[in-house]
Amino acid sequence: MISNTIISYSVLTLGWLGTVLFIISYIQLNRGVWTLHDTKFHVYNILGSIFLVIDTVYDFSYAAAAANLFWGIVACYGLVKFRNEGRKSREGITESKKPNLV
């Protein structure tokens, strides 16, 4: 059986990793390296949210877990929204490059 100490340190490590992912995504966004249209930005936020939800639920900090869960839901929404916009814009470009045969 896995000891409680190993589980505790594993969950703590996930929490710190989630924090680091949030910070990296925020710094990269503010530096202009990433934009809201970059998949990396949203993936870092989604993973950060998941890791922090695990950590905060383990610590019985349900208010923080709810905030992190909401953060992840917003990141998922952003990822889907910008990927769909990108797909529509690529389809529009493809359509506009077709020769006009009329």
Side-chain angles (χ1 to χ4, degrees):
M1 177 154 180
I2 301 175
S3 74
N4 284 339
T5 304
I6 293 173
I7 292 171
S8 181
Y9 281 124
S10 298
V11 170
L12 180 66
T13 301
L14 281 178
W16 278 108
L17 181 58
T19 299
V20 168
L21 290 173
F22 275 166
I23 291 169
I24 289 171
S25 69
Y26 191 65
I27 288 171
Q28 296 294 73
L29 181 68
N30 279 287
R31 290 179 60 220
V33 176
W34 294 347
T35 68
L36 291 176
H37 298 277
D38 289 322
T39 301
K40 273 187 181 181
F41 174 73
H42 297 289
V43 170
Y44 274 51
N45 277 295
I46 292 165
L47 290 175
S49 171
I50 291 168
F51 295 158
L52 282 168
V53 166
I54 292 168
D55 181 49
T56 51
V57 166
Y58 183 80
D59 290 335
F60 301 103
S61 180
Y62 298 119
N68 288 312
L69 180 63
F70 180 73
W71 188 292
I73 290 168
V74 171
C76 287
Y77 167 77
L79 179 63
V80 169
K81 176 184 175 195
F82 290 118
R83 289 190 81 178
N84 286 340
E85 284 179 5
R87 186 178 307 126
K88 287 178 185 174
S89 104
R90 282 191 304 274
E91 289 171 358
I93 291 170
T94 304
E95 290 295 321
S96 67
K97 289 186 177 181
K98 290 183 179 179
N100 189 355
L101 300 176
V102 178

